[in-house]
Structures are given as C-alpha cells and as structure tokens.
Amino acid sequence: MAPHSPAQVRGAALLADPLLNKGTAFSSEERAELGLEGLLPPAIQTLGEQTRRAYEAFLGYDKPLNRHIYLRQLQDTNEVLFYGLLTRHLEEMLPVVYTPTVGEACRRFSEIYRRPRGLFLTYEDRHRYREILRNRPGGEVDVIVVTDGQRILGLGDQGVGGMGIPIGKLSLYTAIGGVHPARTLPILLDVGTDNEELLANEHYLGRRRHRVSGEAYDEMIEAFVSAVEAELPGTLLQWEDFATAHARPILSRYQDRLLTFNDDIQGTAAVALGALTTATKVAGTALTDHRIVVLGAGSAAIGVADMIRTALVEEGLSEKEAADRFWFVDIDGLLVDSRTDLTPEQRVYARDEAEVRQWGGDAPGLARVVGEVQPTVLIGLSTAHGAFTEEIVRTMAASCDRPVILPLSNPTSNAEADPADLARWTDGRALIAAGSPFPPLTVDGREVPVAQANNVYVFPAVGLAVTACRASRVTDRMMVAAARAVGDCAVRAGTDGATPLLPPLASMRDAAREIALAVALAAVEDGVAPEATEAELREAVTNAQWTPRYTS
C-alpha cells in the first residue's frame, strides 16, 4: 500500500490532503497542472512567508487551549507548514502541542473534536484489528504510539480523549526526531472508561461502558500486538499512559518479542538519568556516590530507579549495591520488606525492616526518610503537589553541598515543588530539573533556565535511531546510552556557572541526531541491529531525519 502521490490527487482533493497540500505555496505551473486555478488566492508564498503568517495567527489566540486547537487544525490542513512552524518555534510551542496544554485538550477531546486522526480500535472489534489496521492512511509505518487512555498525564482516566496524547507525541517524533509524518500512526485502544463524568456526558465520543479488565483486557492487548506483527512487522510500537497495573506487565510480556518500549517507564527514566548525569558532572562527584530518595512508587518511578540502577551496575556496583542506593516512599510511607502490598518490581527496592526499626516510629514518611538518609538526590513522581516542603528541602540541603532535586510530576499543578522555591530554600545550590515548564530562575543576578525533564529528549531520538539502524528490539542499554548522550549534550551546551541539567529545547533537533547515534551504536553492540561503523550510523541518522520542506 504505497502512499499516494500528487499525480493521483488533484483539485480540491489535493488541498484537502494535509500531506500533499502546499496552500498558497503552489506555483503558477502547479496550479495549472493540478486543477487548482481559482481554488487559491492569487498570491504565491514561500514556506518561510507562510510560517511567519501562521505564527502571527498563533499569537492572535490568547488561551493555550485555543492555540492548541489552531495548531491541530493547521496540522490537519498542511503538515509541512505545521512542522515548519513547530520546528522554528519549538521551545515556545512545545507546551502548547504537548504537556501541559495537551492535558486540557484530552479532557475536552469530545468538545473540541474536529477531524479524525489515527485509528480507534474498540474492544468489540478485537477479532478484526488486522483488517482495521489496513484502513490506516498511507502505507508503511515507522512508529506507532498507542494508549488506552487510562492514566493520561496526572489526570487519570480520560477514555477516548486519551487520543490527544499519541497525536501530540507523534508530532514530536517528527518535529524533533525527523520521523516522516506519513510514517507515523496514533492509536487509541478504546476499552471503555471508569470516569463517571465522561460516561454521563452526552457529548462523549468513546465507548460508553466501564473498562474491560482481567483476562479479557490481556486477550485484547494480545490481539492488538498480533495484528501489528502481522500487518506492520518491524514498526516501533510505543506504549503510552497505561495504568501502572498494565504498563509493566505489557512491557515485560512484549519487549523481547517485538520492537517496543514504554515511554512512561523507560523514556521518563532515561531523561531523569540524563539530568542526573549532568548534575553529577556539574557537582564534580560520581554517580556511584549518590543516595537517592524517590517519592512515588508507580511504574514511572520504578522505571527511573531501574535505569539508574543499570547505569550504576555499568559503573562497577553489584545489583544489590546499586539497589541499596534507593529509598522509595509512597502514600503508605517507606517501602520496607515487611509490607505485603508490594509488586515484585517494588520489592527490589524495599528496605530491611531491621534497618528502619532503628529509626524509631512506624512507616516513616518523606520528611523522616530525608532526615535519616541525608540523600544527595530527591526525585518526585508522585503527582503530590507541594510534597517537597521547605522543611524537607532545607533538611536535605543542610547535609549536601549540591542537592539534586527533580520534581518530575506533570502537569505543573502536580509538581512536587516550584523550582523558584527550591532555589530559595537552598541558597541557589540546588541542581533542578522539573517535569513541566517553569520560568527561568534568578541566581546570583543572572537568569538560569529550569531544565524541563520532558521525554522529548529521548523518545524522538529513539524513533530516529531504530529507523536509521533498522533495530529489531529496544534494549535497556540503548536507553541508558540515550540518557548518557542527553547528559553529554547538556554539558556541551552549558556556559560557565550556568549549565542546565538538560540541553536547550530550541536545539533539540540537532541534539536528537547525537542521541540517536548513541542509541544506534548501542543497538549494534547489543546485536539487535545490523553491523555498521560509527560513520555509517551517523550518515544513516542524518539521512533518516526528515526536514519540513515542499517538493514539486
């Protein structure tokens, strides 16, 4: 099924195809040949002129959600112009296209719905998934992002509204990673919703039943994976915003069977490790010196610890020594081995009950753990707004010269702390990365940007890498390589005294090539990609990165 070409599409149908439409950029000759005369205003513009006009229109909307809707309509009209605009104003538009504004777009998906994009696969159609996959627009697909809408950002169950996440995610695969937009496919697995507000909403566009669960849910996931294997073998399948109860089992079940990863578990982890790598270099310490307290013990938090642990083992620690660098706190207090409610993944990090008994009291919370452990790193993936209090942060800073504090929960309303407060409470000594965008800090009279630990630093580069090197799997070492490369890019981009923990977002397309190269090299070393030299991989990565421009 080859993508259609302009020769097959003419007139109004051509203007309605976002992948082929050039709008006012069609030349006089093209207008005559393609039946477009009279269908467009007479002015002929370059992509640059169109981009400037579109940017002014973007600025004309005052509310972020209205700007989001405008950009989505532009994408549905002219993809090259959309990506030309997005890549030119990436730092400014990222919070509009993706988090935090995409959360509001998911919440109001049924209200603001305009045009279909991607595929909606319902539970009832599970025996026909392969047939429905053939209805996709275009032909071959390099990257699929799929969600079931159950755990959208920090907002919970959004049902069919979760489709906003794969759409937004894939626009960043293209804008940053350079994956061709025609070769991306967003998918929403509609298994219903347990959000009573949505079920009662007369405008809700999804399946009006409670969520499928248990064996029926697992069978549906298997039906979906089997259909993808049969119809689109070799396509990168990214799992996005699945609930903790499903995310880890799905990843464990399929990561050795096909080219797949879970961005919430592995992407978040790689960005956190990247920020920690940079912080360790800035502080002049070693990764193995850290004592790490984590607030939250869901799949993303455990994923972060797993990746840091892998890096610690690579640096010479045993598995047990690496696990012993962590203290996890959830809503019920410190994870200890006497607790009966822990998953196998959480139990790896459970502390010895005897060790904790010496502290006195029961089930110590975050403040007590920070006081006893004197951590060098504090990571938040709890969605508990304000959980990193002044008392806790000052306690940490009293025993650590350069505390690394990562309030990673998003959107902004779920952040464990405001970076400005963290800087004030630590006299500007804290090394900070947040999960959502925050304004720059003023430290010693100069502005220091707050690094946003956004997964955009990793997943677009992974998509570019596996496409370029033809990888068959995504391994842990590939993700650790991505994390280390993120840290290297940040250090190179830093200036004296003001090295942000992550690279500047404005230059992420360039950084994506370096990160993709590191991932591709690891894929070859792990034997999951064909043999190739570094020079060959660099050339393949460069050639694979699509740039928005019009063709004749």
Side-chain angles (χ1 to χ4, degrees):
M1 193 188 334
H4 50 236
S5 66
Q8 297 167 296
V9 187
R10 296 173 50 80
L14 179 56
L15 297 179
D17 188 320
L19 283 163
L20 299 178
N21 179 30
K22 297 197 276 187
T24 56
F26 281 112
S27 67
S28 300
E29 295 78 13
E30 288 172 325
R31 295 179 190 207
E33 289 173 19
L34 297 168
L36 297 174
E37 290 175 311
L39 297 179
L40 293 163
I44 296 171
Q45 296 182 303
T46 64
L47 177 58
E49 290 169 333
Q50 287 180 315
T51 301
R52 287 191 289 277
R53 176 165 53 83
Y55 182 58
E56 288 179 16
F58 169 85
L59 294 178
Y61 295 94
D62 54 348
K63 294 181 179 175
L65 182 62
N66 291 339
R67 290 182 170 186
H68 178 94
I69 293 169
Y70 169 73
L71 290 176
R72 285 282 159 255
Q73 287 179 317
L74 184 61
Q75 185 180 16
D76 287 337
T77 305
N78 181 334
E79 294 235 24
V80 170
L81 176 53
F82 167 75
Y83 285 111
L85 178 64
L86 185 55
T87 53
R88 188 169 295 190
H89 302 281
L90 185 61
E91 192 165 11
E92 180 180 2
M93 293 184 175
L94 185 63
V96 179
V97 171
Y98 204 60
T99 182
T101 308
V102 74
E104 179 70 6
C106 288
R107 257 203 305 260
R108 299 178 60 181
F109 179 84
S110 296
E111 293 173 50
I112 66 174
Y113 179 80
R114 299 290 195 277
R115 278 184 61 167
R117 178 173 281 269
L119 292 178
F120 296 84
L121 303 180
T122 66
Y123 173 71
E124 285 73 18
D125 288 331
R126 62 194 179 282
H127 303 303
R128 301 174 50 244
Y129 283 167
R130 186 173 182 186
E131 177 187 339
I132 296 171
L133 279 173
R134 292 176 187 153
N135 291 339
R136 67 190 183 275
E140 295 306 310
V141 175
D142 289 329
V143 183
I144 291 170
V145 176
V146 61
T147 186
D148 69 353
Q150 188 168 9
R151 203 229 62 178
I152 297 300
L153 302 175
L155 305 172
D157 188 344
Q158 298 300 312
V160 77
M163 181 54 120
I165 298 294
I167 291 172
K169 210 92 183 181
L170 285 167
S171 67
L172 300 178
Y173 266 105
T174 298
I176 296 171
V179 178
H180 195 290
R183 299 178 69 92
T184 65
L185 181 62
I187 293 180
L188 187 283
L189 296 175
D190 193 348
V191 297
T193 179
D194 291 333
N195 185 328
E196 297 298 338
E197 279 186 36
L198 292 179
L199 291 173
N201 185 338
E202 63 177 329
H203 301 302
Y204 181 59
L205 295 174
R207 181 178 183 267
R208 283 183 186 273
R209 296 187 185 179
H210 285 103
R211 285 187 169 270
V212 173
S213 59
E215 286 186 16
Y217 180 90
D218 294 341
E219 288 168 7
M220 181 211 63
I221 295 293
E222 175 60 31
F224 168 65
V225 168
S226 297
V228 170
E229 283 180 310
E231 189 64 25
L232 292 167
T235 296
L236 175 63
L237 177 60
Q238 184 203 304
W239 306 92
E240 183 70 26
D241 284 353
F242 283 75
T244 298
H246 297 309
R248 175 71 65 169
I250 287 173
L251 179 63
S252 299
R253 197 176 310 139
Y254 296 113
Q255 65 182 349
D256 295 327
R257 178 169 147 187
L258 65 158
L259 183 65
T260 192
F261 76 106
N262 181 302
D263 191 48
D264 303 299
I265 296 174
Q266 296 161 285
T268 301
V271 177
L273 175 57
L276 182 56
T277 299
T278 312
T280 301
K281 290 179 179 175
V282 170
T285 57
L287 193 64
T288 51
D289 293 337
H290 285 304
R291 295 179 304 282
I292 304 164
V293 169
V294 185
L295 182 64
S299 56
I302 296 295
V304 167
D306 286 349
M307 190 152 298
I308 297 172
R309 182 162 57 99
T310 299
L312 288 169
V313 171
E314 283 188 6
E315 299 209 1
L317 296 189
S318 70
E319 289 283 352
K320 184 176 187 315
E321 287 171 335
D324 281 347
R325 295 291 194 272
F326 294 87
W327 287 259
F328 270 86
V329 180
D330 69 2
I331 196 167
D332 295 315
L334 182 69
L335 267 58
V336 292
D337 54 15
S338 60
R339 281 178 52 171
T340 58
D341 59 339
L342 304 184
T343 66
E345 292 79 22
Q346 292 171 326
R347 196 161 289 285
V348 171
Y349 299 102
R351 307 301 300 192
D352 185 338
E353 176 76 34
E355 166 200 344
V356 178
R357 205 178 298 124
Q358 296 172 5
W359 299 356
D362 334 299
L366 181 63
R368 185 64 185 278
V369 171
V370 168
E372 295 287 349
V373 171
Q374 298 184 344
T376 57
V377 181
L378 181 59
I379 300 174
L381 281 159
S382 64
T383 70
H385 179 70
F388 294 171
T389 64
E390 181 174 359
E391 178 193 1
I392 288 170
V393 172
R394 287 191 181 279
T395 299
M396 179 185 182
S399 60
C400 178
D401 184 45
R402 298 303 303 270
V404 182
I405 307 179
L406 311 178
L408 300 183
S409 292
N410 57 43
T412 313
S413 58
N414 289 341
E416 286 82 5
D418 185 312
D421 290 333
L422 297 175
R424 191 170 70 253
W425 298 336
T426 62
D427 301 320
R429 291 184 289 120
L431 296 163
I432 305 163
S436 291
F438 282 91
L441 305 177
T442 302
V443 179
D444 295 335
R446 69 178 189 277
E447 274 202 348
V448 178
V450 177
Q452 185 189 348
N454 192 309
N455 296 14
V456 297
Y457 286 105
V458 170
F459 68 79
V462 171
L464 176 60
V466 299
T467 301
C469 76
R470 306 194 310 281
S472 59
R473 297 289 183 273
V474 178
T475 66
D476 290 342
R477 287 186 71 249
M478 289 163 67
M479 299 302 285
V480 170
R484 293 188 190 280
V486 167
D488 290 342
C489 287
V491 170
R492 282 199 296 272
T495 56
D496 287 344
T499 299
L501 297 193
L502 294 163
L505 284 168
S507 59
M508 267 312 296
R509 273 182 70 88
D510 296 333
R513 289 193 296 275
E514 294 305 312
I515 299 163
L517 175 63
V519 173
L521 284 166
V524 172
E525 288 172 15
D526 274 355
V528 296
E531 283 292 331
T533 64
E534 181 173 340
E536 289 168 339
L537 290 172
R538 186 178 290 279
E539 183 180 5
V541 165
T542 301
N543 292 340
Q545 192 177 45
W546 176 81
T547 299
R549 62 170 64 96
Y550 292 129
T551 56
S552 299

